[in-house]
Amino acid sequence: MFSSALYDDPEWRSEEFTAVMKGRLRSSRLRQARELHRIAPEFVREIAERIVAYGPDVVGFTSTFQQNTAALAAARQVKLLAPHIVTVMGGANCDAEQGATVHRNFPFVDHVVRGEGEVAFPRLLTALAEGSDPSEIPGLCHRGADGTSTANPMSTSPMPPSAILPPDYTGYFERLAASVARNWVEPKLVVEGARGCWWGEKHHCTFCGLNGSFMQFRSKSPEVFHDEIMELARRHRVLDMYVVDNILDMGYLNTVLPRIIDSGYDLRLHIEIKANMRRSQLRTLADAGLIYVQPGIESLNSRVLGLMDKGVSGCQNVRMLRDGAETGLSVSWNYLHGFPGETAADYEGVIAQIPALEHLNPPVDMSARIAIERFSPYFTRPELGFSGLRAEEHYRFTYDLPEEELYDLAYVFEAPSRGIGEETVKSLNEALAAWKKAHTDSRLTHADLGDRIVLVSRRRLFDWGALELTEPLEVAAFRLLDQPHAPAALTRKLTARLRYAVEEDAVAGLLKRWLELGLVFAEGGQYVHVAPAAVNEDLLRLDFMRHLHAAPREGGSAPAARPTAAV
């Protein structure tokens, strides 16, 4: 949209854009895109005029997700209007070689801060005020007297969590109060308790490019993070917050969250978690208001999850969906495909069982082929299956740069398709579409009454409405299948629990019958039941924010939502 403003041409590569996107966008959406592209230069000029009118010495532009072209266009216009103003750019799109590429190709950006900016940016401001040499500021890109771009080495260690300051939303709320849009906006605050990923430190998920140069996990002290949340809620009288941490600090379950529960504040928070959390831990999340969770579910097949290095099984992911429904959590997740080594057989069993799961939260969209992201193992380790990478096509009609510069600027890359073919993708997406359509009206619950278990079902492909499990073997097996079990392990535990020898054939027959009834999910040699406890979970389905949870993330333009990935 903003390439027209960056290159001061309302028709900048419009025909090329249209040719590429014609088959991907509805005609109305394509017309809207072209019109926005046409008027973007006028909009950017107006924004730049407002900025310059403040009379600043320095203007900083943060570029994250799809902000790169807009930020560059605004920086260019500010520089045209007031050449004396110092322009600085930073953010996730400026990490490592991306930031150096921005600096050497766009001379209207005076400085680029690469990596975490809390230390480097204040040091830059001091250097500008004093006229001192910026060559010792870690990660900074700057120019010599002859205009040559120099990129200082980046810091070799991340910031300590104590240096991560709380956000200040004062200016935002002042602007909102004066805006005609105030009656249409329901503010949601963004808070940060941790950076990095403790799972990624040990097992970097093969497709994930989050965290850039610093994967090391660090979190604020529980007292500091709790006080920040409470102060923001009190000051701004806002209870909806997004916790932007890539993964929950598990220590917060016993520190921050109990204090939030005791506070009496009816907070509604979104957080990313790991899918193998226990039900009791999920209840703590729900009680503390962390009711929108993104547990990093990207597949329901253990073999594909192993290719991702996710550290969970397909049955564990289904258990997460079930326990989320039971505890009142709205679970946001994505189905990804296209992993080197996956086969159609890895999907066929899941596709066949999706009708049994239609009462649980479906993925936010259809399955998407993975994109290769900078900083991911698939990008840095071609031996994993991807080589000959090239910047995604949209970079080529957005920027006027040679191929090698686009490669260093890009965050998402083209690569030959791997994994399953389009016939399997079509079958998977048809099943997911049916799941999404049927979800609202589907139900499966159980009530454990001690001597029997009562199940109630309302799912389109199962013709039974109520079922009682009364045999001791059935009751004991259902309770054990609260957790994933292989048949042999289930048989051993039933024998110990019932105190008589349980035959493996009897267990196999029971599992086969339950599979036909849609009571269990079977995958990777394990079984888990899929019926949440009856707690009126129909009333707890909180879907109105789900479309926001898997926001696109990208370093220069726009892939589809997460069709890049979820953590």
Side-chain angles (χ1 to χ4, degrees):
M1 296 301 97
F2 288 92
S3 60
S4 55
L6 177 59
Y7 293 106
D8 198 22
D9 179 0
E11 296 301 321
W12 174 260
R13 296 184 177 173
S14 184
E15 295 305 317
E16 190 176 344
F17 168 82
T18 302
V20 171
M21 301 303 293
K22 193 170 185 179
R24 306 181 193 178
L25 296 177
R26 298 188 306 273
S27 57
S28 59
R29 186 78 166 179
L30 189 60
R31 285 195 301 272
Q32 182 187 53
R34 292 190 61 163
E35 177 62 12
L36 290 171
H37 185 257
R38 186 186 65 80
I39 65 176
E42 178 185 350
F43 171 74
V44 169
R45 277 194 296 273
E46 180 181 337
I47 294 297
E49 287 169 359
R50 292 187 190 180
I51 292 171
V52 171
Y54 283 111
D57 301 308
V58 179
V59 177
F61 300 87
T62 298
S63 178
T64 304
F65 302 136
Q66 290 89 10
Q67 297 167 343
N68 218 44
T69 317
L72 287 168
R76 172 185 173 275
Q77 192 64 37
V78 166
K79 206 67 174 174
L80 285 173
L81 293 172
H84 65 281
I85 292 178
V86 176
T87 53
V88 187
M89 193 161 161
N93 291 340
C94 294
D95 201 356
E97 58 266 39
Q98 291 176 280
T101 306
V102 165
H103 194 253
R104 67 174 174 261
N105 283 285
F106 300 101
F108 48 80
V109 179
D110 294 314
H111 300 278
V112 171
V113 175
R114 302 185 299 157
E116 296 173 304
E118 285 92 338
V119 174
F121 185 58
R123 287 185 59 181
L124 171 62
L125 295 181
T126 299
L128 291 172
E130 298 176 349
S132 56
D133 184 4
S135 60
E136 298 300 317
I137 301 175
L140 182 71
C141 297
H142 53 99
R143 288 189 174 81
D146 60 353
T148 302
S149 174
T150 299
N152 296 344
M154 293 182 63
S155 175
T156 56
S157 60
M159 287 171 39
S162 59
I164 303 173
L165 300 177
D168 182 351
Y169 290 108
T170 305
Y172 168 80
F173 282 98
E174 290 174 351
R175 293 290 299 277
L176 180 63
S179 172
V180 295
R182 63 186 179 278
N183 294 323
W184 290 272
V185 174
E186 184 179 354
K188 296 173 181 62
L189 304 184
V190 175
V191 295
E192 181 181 30
R195 290 183 185 173
C197 179
W198 50 260
W199 175 256
E201 283 189 88
K202 299 176 290 185
H203 299 275
H204 191 170
C205 298
T206 52
F207 61 87
C208 179
L210 290 179
N211 298 296
S213 300
F214 293 126
M215 179 67 73
Q216 183 178 327
F217 185 75
R218 51 246 138 89
S219 60
K220 295 177 179 178
S221 74
E223 293 76 16
V224 167
F225 191 40
H226 168 268
D227 291 348
E228 286 181 9
I229 292 173
M230 293 296 107
E231 175 58 25
L232 286 170
R234 280 192 293 266
R235 179 185 304 173
H236 302 299
R237 306 184 71 80
V238 171
L239 297 173
D240 289 300
M241 299 186 189
Y242 286 94
V243 184
V244 297
D245 307 357
N246 287 166
I247 193 167
L248 173 69
D249 181 339
M250 297 298 286
Y252 286 170
L253 285 166
N254 299 316
T255 54
V256 176
L257 301 192
R259 292 186 64 186
I260 290 177
I261 295 170
D262 292 341
S263 73
Y265 280 50
D266 186 19
L267 293 172
R268 294 178 296 274
L269 295 90
H270 167 262
I271 185 70
E272 294 194 29
I273 61 174
K274 193 139 174 61
N276 58 3
M277 290 182 68
R278 300 187 300 273
R279 186 188 286 109
S280 60
Q281 295 172 325
L282 297 179
R283 286 199 183 101
T284 299
L285 294 182
D287 290 344
L290 289 155
I291 51 179
Y292 306 102
V293 296
Q294 187 166 329
I297 297 174
E298 279 92 22
S299 178
L300 302 181
N301 177 268
S302 297
R303 186 171 174 277
V304 176
L305 289 163
L307 295 173
M308 303 180 199
D309 207 2
K310 290 294 294 185
V312 293
S313 68
C315 280
Q316 284 179 309
N317 280 346
V318 169
R319 183 194 67 182
M320 172 69 219
L321 295 175
R322 182 202 69 197
D323 290 350
E326 181 175 321
T327 53
L329 299 175
S330 183
V331 181
S332 178
W333 64 288
N334 303 271
Y335 215 115
L336 301 180
H337 64 266
F339 297 91
E342 69 181 14
T343 67
D346 297 322
Y347 290 82
E348 291 165 356
V350 171
I351 293 171
Q353 295 182 82
I354 282 177
L357 306 177
E358 288 179 350
H359 59 294
L360 305 176
N361 280 139
V364 296
D365 208 339
M366 299 300 98
S367 179
R369 189 168 294 277
I370 59 168
I372 308 305
E373 300 180 345
R374 186 181 297 278
F375 306 114
S376 71
Y378 278 147
F379 177 77
T380 59
R381 296 172 56 194
E383 69 272 16
L384 293 178
F386 293 99
S387 58
L389 299 178
R390 188 184 184 194
E392 271 280 9
E393 187 173 28
H394 54 74
Y395 293 103
R396 296 196 284 280
F397 57 71
T398 299
Y399 297 104
D400 185 20
L401 293 174
E403 189 79 18
E404 60 272 15
E405 293 298 301
L406 285 178
Y407 185 88
D408 286 344
L409 180 75
Y411 182 72
V412 181
F413 296 84
E414 289 180 353
S417 294
R418 300 285 187 251
I420 57 174
E422 291 309 309
E423 183 177 347
T424 304
V425 173
K426 182 174 182 290
S427 297
L428 175 60
N429 280 333
E430 287 174 349
L432 295 180
W435 184 352
K436 291 172 71 68
K437 183 177 180 180
H439 171 63
T440 302
D441 296 324
S442 298
R443 184 186 184 198
L444 175 65
T445 60
H446 84 270
D448 193 330
L449 304 178
D451 61 335
R452 68 191 190 280
I453 293 172
V454 179
L455 295 121
V456 177
S457 175
R458 186 178 67 228
R459 292 169 295 168
R460 61 190 178 89
L461 295 187
F462 298 91
D463 58 6
W464 61 275
L467 181 69
E468 283 196 21
L469 308 180
T470 57
E471 294 294 327
L473 176 64
E474 294 179 322
V475 172
F478 187 86
R479 288 171 179 162
L480 284 169
L481 288 174
D482 182 69
Q483 302 298 320
H485 279 81
L490 181 62
T491 302
R492 287 195 305 272
K493 291 185 180 181
L494 285 169
T495 296
R497 183 165 294 191
L498 297 173
R499 298 183 180 179
Y500 66 80
V502 176
E503 298 294 331
E504 288 191 18
D505 287 349
V507 172
L510 182 65
L511 292 173
K512 181 176 182 294
R513 185 165 72 253
W514 283 359
L515 199 59
E516 293 169 350
L517 294 171
L519 292 185
V520 296
F521 179 83
E523 194 282 319
Q526 292 189 318
Y527 295 76
V528 65
H529 84 69
V530 298
V535 289
N536 290 329
E537 85 290 345
D538 280 359
L539 301 178
L540 296 175
R541 288 180 178 169
L542 302 167
D543 292 338
F544 70 98
M545 289 173 65
R546 279 171 48 76
H547 66 288
L548 298 175
H549 291 171
R553 59 165 205 278
E554 197 271 309
S557 270
R562 227 127 161 153
T564 47
V567 176

